[in-house]
Amino acid sequence: MGIRGLMSFVEDHINEFFTDLKLRDTKIIIDGYALFHRLCFSSNLELRYGGDYDSFTDVVEKFFESLFACKICPYVVLDGGCDISDKKLNTLKDRAREKIQMAHSLSVGGGGYVCPLLIREVFIQVLIKLRVRFVQCFSEADRDIMTLANHWNCPVLSSDSDFCIFDLKSGFCPLNSFQWRNMNTIKGTRDCYIPAKCFSLDALCCHFGNMNKVLLPLFAVLCGNDHVNLPVVETFLSKVCLPLGAPSSKGRRHHRVLGLLNWLSRFADPTEALDNVLKHLPRKSRGTVKKLLCGSMGEYLQSQGRLQDFFQHGTYACPDTWNPGLPPWVLAALARGQLSPFISDALVLRRTILHTQVENMQRPNAHRISLPIRQVIYGLLVNTPPHPGNVAWDALPPQPPAFSEVERINKNIKTSIVGAVELPKDHSDLSKLTELSLARRQILLLETLKVKQSILDPIPAALKLPIAVSCYWVQHTEAKAKLHHLQALLLGMLMGPLHAMIISPDEEAPQGGGAEMLYEELQRVKAQPGLRLDLDTAHVFCQWQCCLQMGLYLNQLLSTPLPEPDLTRLYSGSLVHGLCQQLLTSASVESLLHVCPEAQQLYEHMFSATRSCAPAELVLPKGKTKKRRQKKRRTPWSENRVGTTLNARSWHEGGNRFELLMVGTLEEHMEAAELE
């Protein structure tokens, strides 16, 4: 959740509120969301080119290797989708706007922190590879983390200031003082430990006159967290005389933290303190404010969930407050991280948030290209009832099924309404989706990506989905992809197979070190200094990542009719951008690949598959693209976007009929469901 100004305040008192730990031989509960953000932003990774997932993978592996060396047993807990109450919607929108501004800053050469689009999926794949136990909660994970840590009496590792409020038996270790890169050895032994700081709630309360710790949840909601930001709270703060104590040089937020803690320390319990808050407010609003504050304070109590059951038995009972009657297989897949929070948001809230990348802000957002894939996803989810408390949804007159998408428009956000594709009845019953045959599920996936099975036959299993997605990508003229973009992308996909050849050489393969030579050459291209960011190129690859993300989610929802690709070495932004530059100036594909015949053959298979789906101008020699222009092809699902009239259309393949029933312009639907 996060409490504004609290973390920097307690870190200013590090000698008073923290104790030194030599962490070893223990369980530890890790806030997964906080960890992958911390590792992404504090490891000097390149963020402008859409993600160097191989470099990120290396950092994550080293982190857990340090833990294993110190006999620390990690349990990673990941946030799920948005809470069913949707109380964080305004906060999420604010963060989406901030991310757009940071992405824009990065795109024009400034600073900023924007996670690459597939960072969460890559992180999960590394956890699986390292056999690190993890669970994905059904909504925000903070309370579940606290409850599990207290059950096992072990510390929590996070960067979320809410863990300064939770009453944790073994304390909270902030990530920024967790020195995993500086392992030490206990004198006279071979035992390693990681130096860390552990926050003491008792020390904080002692500092404020032995304050009763049960007052701290009220402090959190008055101070302002992600769930509460009421004008009436500001009214209270303007009327009450907060004792500041020692002056702070850190500004308004530190003054508020210090003043509230000093003021609350006067009271014996939350009831007395809450009554004193309410008396400063208008009588007519007291009941409503009390109810909201009490509800928000409840967010700091023990969770109903029992994550220990999941880690011990592989099942996790969904709390009654969240469960909207979803099929058991969906709940199990969400807990195991086999379905994204994107899916649960679409299921429960009928709303998704499309995250901005470092792209060309003058062009339509990169997610537009993957809209037809999302419509099929929504078509598979549409027969699950939305959250029963969603009055706005229930009040709408009968209409084609639709979902809200929060997306970037220029440098702001807007909510669009998107129609779901109507699928055959046996595809639209979510509870029975896993009972469909592999062939039926594969047909739906490949039809959505507009690729024939025969095209993928020569492609290795691990690359079938990325190549199918690439076939979809090159067919969309809005991608504005050129030949060198496709070549660079496919060359970048060779890094995974090359890495596998090097670490597990085939005894029957020809000797000569060709794989090593090519791998090293590609690493040199990736590491070249002074690479200029070409915004049009960045936008093209952002569009490809959007296609891959939604292709991946659809594949997961259909229980992986195509093998899930290894994302950890599938795409490296620095590499593909560097290859684009080289292919435009000096190098050729042949000159790069001639040292490794196996890689050259694989590249030719991938290029042949994508070329068969590409418009003619994409693969024509330079200088001839203007001479031949194909008439823009319209596909049934490719034109459903803002400002486009959508007629009911159908198409047939293998005896299956899929229909899109959405008539009128999306502007008409947007007016009815605008959230802002």
Side-chain angles (χ1 to χ4, degrees), residues 331-537:
L331 294 173
L334 285 169
R336 294 172 189 148
Q338 295 165 345
L339 288 176
S340 164
F342 175 92
I343 298 297
S344 61
D345 283 348
L347 269 170
V348 177
L349 301 173
R350 291 288 198 268
R351 189 207 63 235
T352 57
I353 296 176
L354 306 177
H355 296 290
T356 300
Q357 304 171 78
V358 182
E359 56 193 73
N360 189 339
M361 300 290 169
Q362 303 304 313
R363 290 177 59 183
N365 78 74
H367 289 279
R368 290 290 178 87
I369 194 173
S370 60
L371 176 56
I373 308 176
R374 295 198 300 279
Q375 289 179 284
V376 176
I377 292 174
Y378 299 152
L380 291 168
L381 303 178
V382 77
N383 279 352
T384 302
H387 174 218
N390 193 334
V391 178
W393 177 279
D394 294 340
L396 290 175
Q399 58 179 309
F403 292 73
S404 302
E405 292 185 339
V406 179
E407 62 174 348
R408 177 185 68 81
I409 302 290
N410 297 319
K411 285 187 277 184
N412 208 333
I413 61 169
K414 197 167 186 179
T415 303
S416 303
I417 298 300
V418 170
V421 168
E422 184 173 314
L423 300 169
K425 287 185 178 179
D426 59 347
H427 288 73
S428 59
D429 186 345
L430 186 64
S431 64
K432 297 180 180 178
L433 190 58
T434 53
E435 298 173 16
L436 283 178
S437 68
L438 173 62
R440 297 291 298 278
R441 289 180 281 119
Q442 195 171 87
I443 285 172
L444 177 57
L445 175 65
L446 295 182
E447 292 293 0
T448 302
L449 298 178
K450 296 185 286 190
V451 61
K452 294 179 180 178
Q453 174 64 56
S454 58
I455 290 174
L456 300 178
D457 285 344
I459 307 299
L463 290 173
K464 285 185 187 293
L465 182 61
I467 293 301
V469 163
S470 300
C471 289
Y472 172 94
W473 170 69
V474 297
Q475 291 179 69
H476 284 74
T477 53
E478 67 184 81
K480 302 187 186 302
K482 296 183 172 61
L483 178 59
H484 66 282
H485 295 139
L486 175 59
Q487 291 173 325
L489 183 66
L490 298 180
L491 286 169
M493 287 186 197
L494 294 175
M495 289 297 277
L498 287 170
H499 186 261
M501 289 182 207
I502 293 167
I503 62 173
S504 302
D506 186 349
E507 293 180 3
E508 297 180 4
Q511 299 300 308
E516 292 94 329
M517 292 172 64
L518 178 56
Y519 188 83
E520 289 170 6
E521 176 57 30
L522 293 176
Q523 289 285 20
R524 279 193 290 272
V525 173
K526 176 188 170 184
Q528 61 183 310
L531 181 62
R532 182 180 66 87
L533 178 66
D534 181 272
L535 270 184
D536 288 331
T537 294

Side-chain angles (χ1 to χ4, degrees), residues 613-637:
C613 298
E617 58 263 31
L618 180 70
V619 292
L620 282 174
K622 291 178 184 177
K624 294 188 178 181
T625 54
K626 293 183 181 179
K627 295 181 182 179
R628 292 177 61 187
R629 294 285 185 190
Q630 286 190 335
K631 187 177 180 181
K632 182 178 178 182
R633 290 188 302 163
R634 282 181 173 266
T635 59
W637 302 344

Side-chain angles (χ1 to χ4, degrees), residues 14-23 170 172-174 177 179 193-200:
I14 196 162
N15 293 328
E16 299 165 71
F17 301 157
F18 290 84
T19 57
D20 290 322
L21 279 187
K22 296 179 178 179
L23 212 60
S170 294
F172 154 52
C173 297
S177 56
Q179 301 179 51
Y193 68 88
I194 294 176
K197 298 282 186 182
C198 186
F199 175 76
S200 169

